[in-house]
mmCIF file of all heavy atoms in Angstrom:
data_model
loop_
_atom_site.group_PDB
_atom_site.id
_atom_site.type_symbol
_atom_site.label_atom_id
_atom_site.label_comp_id
_atom_site.label_asym_id
_atom_site.label_seq_id
_atom_site.Cartn_x
_atom_site.Cartn_y
_atom_site.Cartn_z
ATOM 1 N N ILE A 101 13.035 1.977 40.540
ATOM 2 C CA ILE A 101 13.312 3.346 40.956
ATOM 3 C C ILE A 101 14.781 3.568 40.682
ATOM 4 O O ILE A 101 15.623 2.799 41.169
ATOM 5 C CB ILE A 101 13.027 3.575 42.454
ATOM 6 C CG1 ILE A 101 11.570 3.329 42.763
ATOM 7 C CG2 ILE A 101 13.421 4.988 42.860
ATOM 8 C CD1 ILE A 101 11.244 3.417 44.235
ATOM 9 N N GLY A 102 15.095 4.577 39.892
ATOM 10 C CA GLY A 102 16.484 4.814 39.520
ATOM 11 C C GLY A 102 16.872 6.269 39.628
ATOM 12 O O GLY A 102 16.023 7.163 39.675
ATOM 13 N N GLY A 103 18.170 6.493 39.638
ATOM 14 C CA GLY A 103 18.693 7.841 39.721
ATOM 15 C C GLY A 103 18.997 8.455 38.374
ATOM 16 O O GLY A 103 19.212 9.659 38.275
ATOM 17 N N THR A 104 19.021 7.629 37.320
ATOM 18 C CA THR A 104 19.299 8.152 35.981
ATOM 19 C C THR A 104 18.217 7.691 35.017
ATOM 20 O O THR A 104 17.624 6.627 35.193
ATOM 21 C CB THR A 104 20.667 7.663 35.455
ATOM 22 O OG1 THR A 104 20.626 6.245 35.321
ATOM 23 C CG2 THR A 104 21.796 8.084 36.380
ATOM 24 N N ILE A 105 18.013 8.486 33.996
ATOM 25 C CA ILE A 105 17.022 8.127 32.984
ATOM 26 C C ILE A 105 17.515 6.936 32.166
ATOM 27 O O ILE A 105 16.731 6.135 31.675
ATOM 28 C CB ILE A 105 16.666 9.340 32.095
ATOM 29 C CG1 ILE A 105 15.395 9.089 31.269
ATOM 30 C CG2 ILE A 105 17.807 9.716 31.187
ATOM 31 C CD1 ILE A 105 14.148 9.114 32.048
ATOM 32 N N ARG A 106 18.816 6.779 32.071
ATOM 33 C CA ARG A 106 19.385 5.664 31.320
ATOM 34 C C ARG A 106 19.033 4.321 31.957
ATOM 35 O O ARG A 106 18.682 3.356 31.266
ATOM 36 C CB ARG A 106 20.892 5.815 31.214
ATOM 37 C CG ARG A 106 21.526 4.749 30.346
ATOM 38 C CD ARG A 106 22.943 5.071 30.047
ATOM 39 N NE ARG A 106 22.947 6.244 29.180
ATOM 40 C CZ ARG A 106 24.030 6.752 28.637
ATOM 41 N NH1 ARG A 106 25.200 6.217 28.884
ATOM 42 N NH2 ARG A 106 23.966 7.809 27.852
ATOM 43 N N SER A 107 19.118 4.235 33.287
ATOM 44 C CA SER A 107 18.751 2.982 33.960
ATOM 45 C C SER A 107 17.267 2.686 33.768
ATOM 46 O O SER A 107 16.865 1.526 33.639
ATOM 47 C CB SER A 107 19.102 3.033 35.443
ATOM 48 O OG SER A 107 18.296 3.957 36.124
ATOM 49 N N CYS A 108 16.461 3.725 33.725
ATOM 50 C CA CYS A 108 15.022 3.533 33.513
ATOM 51 C C CYS A 108 14.727 3.112 32.081
ATOM 52 O O CYS A 108 13.806 2.331 31.843
ATOM 53 C CB CYS A 108 14.275 4.814 33.858
ATOM 54 S SG CYS A 108 14.357 5.194 35.602
ATOM 55 N N GLU A 109 15.511 3.624 31.125
ATOM 56 C CA GLU A 109 15.334 3.205 29.737
ATOM 57 C C GLU A 109 15.574 1.708 29.589
ATOM 58 O O GLU A 109 14.845 1.022 28.871
ATOM 59 C CB GLU A 109 16.292 3.968 28.820
ATOM 60 C CG GLU A 109 15.899 5.389 28.555
ATOM 61 C CD GLU A 109 16.927 6.139 27.720
ATOM 62 O OE1 GLU A 109 18.008 5.586 27.420
ATOM 63 O OE2 GLU A 109 16.637 7.293 27.373
ATOM 64 N N LYS A 110 16.585 1.191 30.280
ATOM 65 C CA LYS A 110 16.863 -0.240 30.223
ATOM 66 C C LYS A 110 15.675 -1.039 30.754
ATOM 67 O O LYS A 110 15.279 -2.053 30.174
ATOM 68 C CB LYS A 110 18.105 -0.569 31.035
ATOM 69 C CG LYS A 110 19.380 -0.056 30.412
ATOM 70 C CD LYS A 110 20.568 -0.347 31.306
ATOM 71 C CE LYS A 110 21.829 0.283 30.755
ATOM 72 N NZ LYS A 110 22.976 0.084 31.668
ATOM 73 N N GLN A 111 15.091 -0.591 31.859
ATOM 74 C CA GLN A 111 13.931 -1.274 32.415
ATOM 75 C C GLN A 111 12.728 -1.192 31.475
ATOM 76 O O GLN A 111 11.975 -2.162 31.319
ATOM 77 C CB GLN A 111 13.573 -0.681 33.774
ATOM 78 C CG GLN A 111 14.594 -0.956 34.841
ATOM 79 C CD GLN A 111 14.669 -2.429 35.176
ATOM 80 O OE1 GLN A 111 13.667 -3.124 35.202
ATOM 81 N NE2 GLN A 111 15.875 -2.907 35.418
ATOM 82 N N MET A 112 12.539 -0.036 30.848
ATOM 83 C CA MET A 112 11.409 0.128 29.925
ATOM 84 C C MET A 112 11.576 -0.759 28.697
ATOM 85 O O MET A 112 10.602 -1.322 28.195
ATOM 86 C CB MET A 112 11.274 1.589 29.491
ATOM 87 C CG MET A 112 10.844 2.516 30.596
ATOM 88 S SD MET A 112 9.241 2.100 31.294
ATOM 89 C CE MET A 112 8.201 2.372 29.895
ATOM 90 N N ILE A 113 12.811 -0.912 28.212
ATOM 91 C CA ILE A 113 13.051 -1.786 27.070
ATOM 92 C C ILE A 113 12.714 -3.228 27.435
ATOM 93 O O ILE A 113 12.058 -3.937 26.667
ATOM 94 C CB ILE A 113 14.505 -1.645 26.571
ATOM 95 C CG1 ILE A 113 14.682 -0.281 25.898
ATOM 96 C CG2 ILE A 113 14.869 -2.772 25.610
ATOM 97 C CD1 ILE A 113 16.113 0.077 25.590
ATOM 98 N N GLN A 114 13.127 -3.670 28.610
ATOM 99 C CA GLN A 114 12.785 -5.023 29.053
ATOM 100 C C GLN A 114 11.274 -5.199 29.186
ATOM 101 O O GLN A 114 10.714 -6.217 28.777
ATOM 102 C CB GLN A 114 13.457 -5.338 30.383
ATOM 103 C CG GLN A 114 14.953 -5.487 30.295
ATOM 104 C CD GLN A 114 15.583 -5.700 31.662
ATOM 105 O OE1 GLN A 114 14.905 -5.700 32.682
ATOM 106 N NE2 GLN A 114 16.889 -5.877 31.671
ATOM 107 N N PHE A 115 10.618 -4.196 29.746
ATOM 108 C CA PHE A 115 9.169 -4.261 29.907
ATOM 109 C C PHE A 115 8.477 -4.314 28.545
ATOM 110 O O PHE A 115 7.564 -5.120 28.333
ATOM 111 C CB PHE A 115 8.681 -3.050 30.701
ATOM 112 C CG PHE A 115 7.200 -2.936 30.758
ATOM 113 C CD1 PHE A 115 6.452 -3.796 31.543
ATOM 114 C CD2 PHE A 115 6.534 -1.966 30.013
ATOM 115 C CE1 PHE A 115 5.076 -3.694 31.590
ATOM 116 C CE2 PHE A 115 5.165 -1.858 30.057
ATOM 117 C CZ PHE A 115 4.436 -2.727 30.845
ATOM 118 N N ASP A 116 8.913 -3.464 27.608
ATOM 119 C CA ASP A 116 8.292 -3.435 26.290
ATOM 120 C C ASP A 116 8.537 -4.738 25.521
ATOM 121 O O ASP A 116 7.669 -5.196 24.780
ATOM 122 C CB ASP A 116 8.799 -2.243 25.485
ATOM 123 C CG ASP A 116 8.223 -0.925 25.985
ATOM 124 O OD1 ASP A 116 7.218 -0.951 26.720
ATOM 125 O OD2 ASP A 116 8.776 0.140 25.640
ATOM 126 N N GLU A 117 9.721 -5.337 25.696
ATOM 127 C CA GLU A 117 9.989 -6.621 25.050
ATOM 128 C C GLU A 117 9.019 -7.690 25.556
ATOM 129 O O GLU A 117 8.470 -8.462 24.771
ATOM 130 C CB GLU A 117 11.427 -7.065 25.312
ATOM 131 C CG GLU A 117 12.451 -6.311 24.513
ATOM 132 C CD GLU A 117 13.883 -6.681 24.885
ATOM 133 O OE1 GLU A 117 14.078 -7.419 25.882
ATOM 134 O OE2 GLU A 117 14.797 -6.230 24.186
ATOM 135 N N LYS A 118 8.800 -7.737 26.860
ATOM 136 C CA LYS A 118 7.860 -8.706 27.424
ATOM 137 C C LYS A 118 6.450 -8.445 26.910
ATOM 138 O O LYS A 118 5.697 -9.378 26.621
ATOM 139 C CB LYS A 118 7.878 -8.640 28.944
ATOM 140 C CG LYS A 118 9.134 -9.184 29.561
ATOM 141 C CD LYS A 118 9.117 -9.024 31.063
ATOM 142 C CE LYS A 118 10.421 -9.447 31.686
ATOM 143 N NZ LYS A 118 10.464 -9.193 33.125
ATOM 144 N N TYR A 119 6.077 -7.161 26.780
ATOM 145 C CA TYR A 119 4.748 -6.808 26.293
ATOM 146 C C TYR A 119 4.563 -7.269 24.850
ATOM 147 O O TYR A 119 3.542 -7.873 24.505
ATOM 148 C CB TYR A 119 4.531 -5.305 26.412
ATOM 149 C CG TYR A 119 3.213 -4.837 25.867
ATOM 150 C CD1 TYR A 119 2.041 -4.986 26.601
ATOM 151 C CD2 TYR A 119 3.117 -4.264 24.602
ATOM 152 C CE1 TYR A 119 0.823 -4.576 26.102
ATOM 153 C CE2 TYR A 119 1.907 -3.848 24.097
ATOM 154 C CZ TYR A 119 0.763 -4.002 24.849
ATOM 155 O OH TYR A 119 -0.440 -3.598 24.341
ATOM 156 N N VAL A 120 5.567 -7.007 23.999
ATOM 157 C CA VAL A 120 5.470 -7.375 22.585
ATOM 158 C C VAL A 120 5.424 -8.891 22.435
ATOM 159 O O VAL A 120 4.631 -9.426 21.654
ATOM 160 C CB VAL A 120 6.643 -6.749 21.791
ATOM 161 C CG1 VAL A 120 6.713 -7.338 20.390
ATOM 162 C CG2 VAL A 120 6.489 -5.246 21.718
ATOM 163 N N ILE A 121 6.259 -9.601 23.172
ATOM 164 C CA ILE A 121 6.255 -11.060 23.109
ATOM 165 C C ILE A 121 4.915 -11.606 23.562
ATOM 166 O O ILE A 121 4.362 -12.536 22.957
ATOM 167 C CB ILE A 121 7.426 -11.638 23.937
ATOM 168 C CG1 ILE A 121 8.738 -11.335 23.243
ATOM 169 C CG2 ILE A 121 7.248 -13.143 24.146
ATOM 170 C CD1 ILE A 121 9.968 -11.647 24.063
ATOM 171 N N GLY A 122 4.349 -11.020 24.606
ATOM 172 C CA GLY A 122 3.022 -11.439 25.072
ATOM 173 C C GLY A 122 1.948 -11.207 24.022
ATOM 174 O O GLY A 122 1.049 -12.023 23.829
#
Side-chain angles (χ1 to χ4, degrees):
I101 299 175
T104 64
I105 194 73
R106 185 169 292 185
S107 68
C108 293
E109 285 176 355
K110 290 177 186 176
Q111 292 294 323
M112 292 299 296
I113 289 170
Q114 291 176 358
F115 172 73
D116 287 343
E117 285 175 352
K118 289 177 185 175
Y119 177 79
V120 169
I121 290 170

